[in-house]
Amino acid sequence: MVDMAKRAGLPWDAILGAEVARAYKPTPEAYLRSAEALGLRPEQCLMVAAHPADLAAAARCGLRTAFVPRPLEFGPGRPGSQPEPGQPFDVVAGDFVELAEKLGC
């Protein structure tokens, strides 16, 4: 993933996952250890995901949340992930370009 990001010119500092956190979503450790690995408080982090349940778990840990759908997640002609009505995300964007714009990037 890091090589892919570098080749694409993405200025990421880190790619975190279960290997770093030593835990899987939706356990709190999956979110809290990732923030800790970056030396950040949970409220300084933004969890970006296409699955509302992952975002809800992150929010319970104090992380900010951004929902970006994956319309082709299950293949053409099948609906992809959608936010549930009333889901309180900090940011909702149709794609990553819109997310970057909403975040002021």
Side-chain angles (χ1 to χ4, degrees):
M1 291 296 292
V2 171
D3 288 341
M4 183 177 70
K6 286 180 182 178
R7 180 165 282 153
L10 299 172
W12 295 349
D13 294 319
I15 298 173
L16 305 176
E19 295 83 10
V20 172
R22 296 180 316 277
Y24 292 95
K25 297 180 295 183
T27 62
E29 294 82 10
Y31 307 98
L32 298 174
R33 287 182 184 154
S34 293
E36 182 182 316
L38 294 172
L40 299 170
R41 296 183 314 274
E43 64 271 14
Q44 293 176 292
C45 299
L46 177 70
M47 169 74 174
V48 180
H51 300 117
D54 291 339
L55 293 170
R60 285 191 297 273
C61 293
L63 280 73
R64 295 176 52 226
T65 59
F67 178 83
V68 179
R70 291 188 350 206
L72 298 176
E73 180 175 12
F74 303 113
R78 299 179 65 196
S81 57
Q82 294 296 318
E84 298 169 13
Q87 201 69 14
F89 306 123
D90 294 299
V91 181
V92 175
D95 57 35
F96 287 104
V97 172
E98 182 182 351
L99 176 64
E101 289 169 354
K102 287 187 172 188
L103 296 174
C105 299

